[in-house]
Every structure is written in C-alpha cells, then in structure tokens.
Amino acid sequence: MATTDHSFDGLTEYCAQCERETLHSVSIQIRTESTKQRNTAFSREPYRVSECQECNARESQRMNNA
C-alpha cells in the first residue's frame, strides 16, 4: 500500500521576524549585480535565499565574497 507524506521538505532555521525556529524553504539564485549592460555577463553571483514558511520573511546572503 502506498503512503503519502504531506510534510514540507525544508530546513529549520531561526527566523528574526517570528523570533523562533521555523521551517524554511531554501534555494540558490544567480543574481546580476552590475547595472552596466556591457558587464552583466560577468557580474552574476550566487545567493542563498531562505523564506520562512510561517511568516514569508525572506533573507538572502551572497555566497561569494571574492
């Protein structure tokens, strides 16, 4: 017999908005940092984006600090 798991697949992290540990959706996004059209292909950086599943607060952090 097949069973269904209705739980959300995410990470538990501290949420500053909720002031407690909550379930977060975490993803990696590639963002363009340059506003100059000529350099946009070379200005992409990875960011870690986490979103609280309780209050929808989002936090992003640049992964490269080179």
Side-chain angles (χ1 to χ4, degrees):
M1 178 156 104
T3 60
T4 304
D5 184 6
H6 295 291
S7 65
F8 178 78
D9 189 21
L11 297 172
T12 302
E13 297 182 351
Y14 179 78
C15 177
Q17 188 77 22
C18 295
E19 297 181 341
R20 62 186 171 94
E21 296 280 325
T22 59
L23 194 59
H24 280 71
S25 171
V26 179
S27 63
I28 302 296
Q29 294 180 353
I30 304 298
R31 296 185 182 174
T32 302
E33 295 182 336
S34 177
T35 57
K36 298 178 184 176
Q37 185 68 25
R38 183 177 177 200
N39 295 330
T40 57
F42 305 104
S43 69
R44 296 175 291 190
E45 296 293 336
Y47 279 77
R48 179 186 189 273
V49 180
S50 62
E51 182 175 351
C52 176
Q53 298 301 297
E54 296 289 324
C55 70
N56 296 325
R58 291 185 121 198
E59 184 176 305
S60 62
Q61 178 181 2
R62 186 176 185 210
M63 300 299 287
N64 287 351
N65 287 327

